[in-house]
């Protein structure tokens, strides 16, 4: 049913974090710092995994892909946020907003699939150690990563196409970046089909990934507890703890943001979670993996002589 007494718009206006210019500058400085730290942290992990032969394992290969996702993820939204802090009125055209939505959701889906694949990687390494080198060969890892990226970009394509077909009306104000709930609230026409498609995708992908990950870790936990040596148990737990921490944070935020129908009004809690999801989470992942994995910390020590890593071809080591 058409909505009346509303004016069609061709662009959206970003709401300001504060009406105080001094606070806007403060927010700009904080967000810029977090953004730069996120870029440096994730780029460093990609560099270390690419150049250090000790990190040429399936686990670090997927961590490298995760960092690549985070680099793209944060760059989709944060630079526009930073620009809006320094302008009197931040605006974005409707096509640009839908494009931002598509790439943001693509990165979210790709990260979801990579994290789920990593859960199976840990399960195979602990539950099937003898068959693990065959199950997760370099070729298999590359294929799995390629599937994660391909399906991640494919998933939001239909909903983005549907969004591009509808019209939008005043009030044309959105918070921080373009996500589905905010765009749908500004539609002039009925969005039931788009909401149904988005909700079905969220339920199927997020809850399916959670179920698969929980099943994998249930098997992992049972296997670890059955180990006779305490040292072996500690090593197995240390291998999984970083991934489990990232998964817990990521899945928790995804459930809060996407496993619910679109609502007419947005609460302040939603706004805070949006910011945490798009700005802080990409910084947390490299911190967690650096702190939890001794191999990464050891690799950081060789950065001054990193040029030596170019000498001689190093083959992958299929082990954890």
């Amino acid at each position: 049913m058409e909505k009346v007494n509303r004016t069609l718009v061709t662009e959206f206006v970003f709401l300001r974090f504060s009406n105080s210019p001094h606070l806007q500058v403060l927010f700009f400085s904080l967000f810029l710092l977090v953004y730069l730290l996120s870029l440096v942290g994730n780029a460093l992990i990609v560099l270390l995994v690419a150049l250090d032969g000790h990190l040429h394992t399936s686990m670090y290969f997927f961590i490298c892909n995760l960092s690549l996702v985070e680099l793209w993820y944060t760059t989709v939204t944060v630079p526009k946020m930073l620009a809006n802090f320094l302008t009197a009125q931040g605006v974005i055209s409707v096509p640009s907003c839908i494009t931002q939505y598509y790439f943001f959701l693509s990165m979210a889906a790709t990260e979801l699939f990579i994290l789920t694949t990593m859960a199976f990687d840990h399960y195979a390494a602990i539950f099937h150690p003898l068959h693990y080198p065959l199950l997760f060969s370099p070729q298999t890892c590359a294929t799995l990563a390629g599937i994660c990226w391909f399906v991640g970009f494919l998933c939001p394509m239909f909903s983005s196409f549907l969004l591009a077909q509808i019209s939008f009306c005043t009030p044309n104000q959105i918070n921080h970046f373009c996500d589905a709930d905010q765009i749908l609230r500004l539609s002039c026409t009925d969005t039931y089909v788009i909401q149904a498609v988005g909700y079905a995708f969220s339920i199927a992908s997020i809850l399916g990934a959670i179920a698969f990950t929980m099943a994998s870790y249930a098997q992992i936990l049972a296997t670890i507890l059955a180990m006779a040596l305490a040292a072996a148990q500690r090593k197995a737990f240390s291998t999984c703890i970083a991934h489990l921490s990232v998964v817990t944070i990521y899945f928790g935020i995804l459930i809060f943001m996407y496993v619910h129908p679109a609502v007419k009004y947005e609460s302040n809690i939603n706004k805070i979670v949006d910011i945490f999801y798009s700005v802080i989470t990409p910084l947390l992942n490299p911190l967690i993996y650096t702190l939890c994995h001794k191999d990464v910390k050891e690799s950081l020590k060789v950065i001054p002589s990193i040029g030596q890593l170019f000498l001689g071809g190093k083959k992958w080591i299929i082990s954890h």
Side-chain angles (χ1 to χ4, degrees):
M1 183 177 179
E2 294 287 337
K3 299 175 183 179
V4 295
N5 298 326
R6 297 177 66 187
T7 305
L8 289 174
V9 297
T10 58
E11 63 183 20
F12 299 136
V13 178
F14 289 105
L15 294 173
R16 296 169 67 87
F17 279 73
S18 170
N19 292 323
S20 168
H22 298 293
L23 285 178
Q24 286 289 100
V25 173
L26 177 61
F27 285 133
F28 170 82
S29 302
L30 290 174
F31 277 53
L32 178 61
L33 177 61
V34 173
Y35 177 57
L36 293 177
L37 289 174
S38 178
L39 290 181
V40 171
N42 285 290
L44 185 59
I45 286 181
V46 173
L47 184 66
L48 290 175
V49 173
L51 299 180
D52 190 345
H54 296 94
L55 301 182
H56 288 182
T57 70
S58 59
M59 180 177 69
Y60 288 111
F61 173 77
F62 289 118
I63 290 174
C64 178
N65 275 267
L66 198 61
S67 288
L68 288 172
V69 171
E70 299 292 14
L71 284 170
W72 199 341
Y73 202 6
T74 188
T75 302
V76 168
T77 57
V78 178
K80 184 63 178 177
M81 285 189 200
L82 293 173
N84 293 336
F85 284 125
L86 302 179
T87 57
Q89 186 181 65
V91 297
I92 186 171
S93 67
V94 170
S96 296
C97 191
I98 295 173
T99 301
Q100 186 187 72
Y101 158 80
Y102 169 75
F103 282 108
F104 184 78
L105 203 60
S106 295
M107 292 300 103
T110 302
E111 184 167 2
L112 175 70
F113 299 138
I114 290 175
L115 288 172
T116 305
T117 304
M118 291 175 69
F120 182 64
D121 173 54
H122 290 313
Y123 162 79
I126 293 173
F127 201 68
H128 297 290
L130 297 179
H131 297 94
Y132 180 73
L134 181 62
L135 289 172
F136 279 86
S137 66
Q139 294 77 15
T140 302
C141 291
T143 300
L144 289 173
I147 292 172
C148 290
W149 283 88
F150 176 76
V151 177
F153 276 91
L154 186 64
C155 283
M157 193 170 291
F158 183 59
S159 59
S160 299
F161 172 77
L162 292 178
L163 282 175
Q165 308 309 306
I166 63 178
S167 301
F168 299 93
C169 298
T170 54
N172 57 331
Q173 296 178 324
I174 59 175
N175 286 300
H176 322 319
F177 64 92
C178 301
D179 68 0
D181 280 1
Q182 295 190 82
I183 296 175
L184 291 173
R185 277 195 294 271
L186 302 179
S187 169
C188 301
T189 54
D190 181 46
T191 58
Y192 174 79
V193 173
I194 302 177
Q195 290 185 45
V197 170
Y199 191 52
F201 161 75
S202 299
I203 289 291
S205 57
I206 297 174
L207 297 187
I210 290 175
F212 185 88
T213 301
M214 289 180 64
S216 297
Y217 271 103
Q219 293 284 351
I220 289 172
L221 182 60
T223 304
I224 291 175
L225 293 177
M227 292 178 178
L229 298 177
Q233 289 182 333
R234 286 194 298 271
K235 182 179 179 181
F237 272 122
S238 65
T239 300
C240 300
I241 191 65
H243 176 257
L244 196 55
S245 300
V246 171
V247 162
T248 301
I249 295 171
Y250 187 72
F251 283 177
I253 295 174
L254 280 186
I255 291 173
F256 182 87
M257 289 185 65
Y258 294 117
V259 186
H260 63 78
V263 295
K264 185 176 181 181
Y265 301 105
E266 185 177 44
S267 68
N268 289 329
I269 297 296
N270 288 81
K271 298 175 185 178
I272 294 171
V273 173
D274 282 350
I275 294 298
F276 187 87
Y277 182 49
S278 60
V279 180
I280 306 299
T281 301
L283 175 62
L284 290 180
N285 289 350
L287 286 176
I288 290 172
Y289 282 116
T290 301
L291 293 174
C292 291
H293 287 294
K294 182 175 67 176
D295 292 338
V296 177
K297 289 185 281 189
E298 289 296 323
S299 294
L300 289 172
K301 298 177 182 178
V302 302
I303 288 180
S305 58
I306 205 163
Q308 298 175 4
L309 297 173
F310 286 103
L311 301 177
K314 291 184 173 64
K315 296 183 179 180
W316 275 42
I317 305 167
I318 309 301
S319 67
H320 279 258

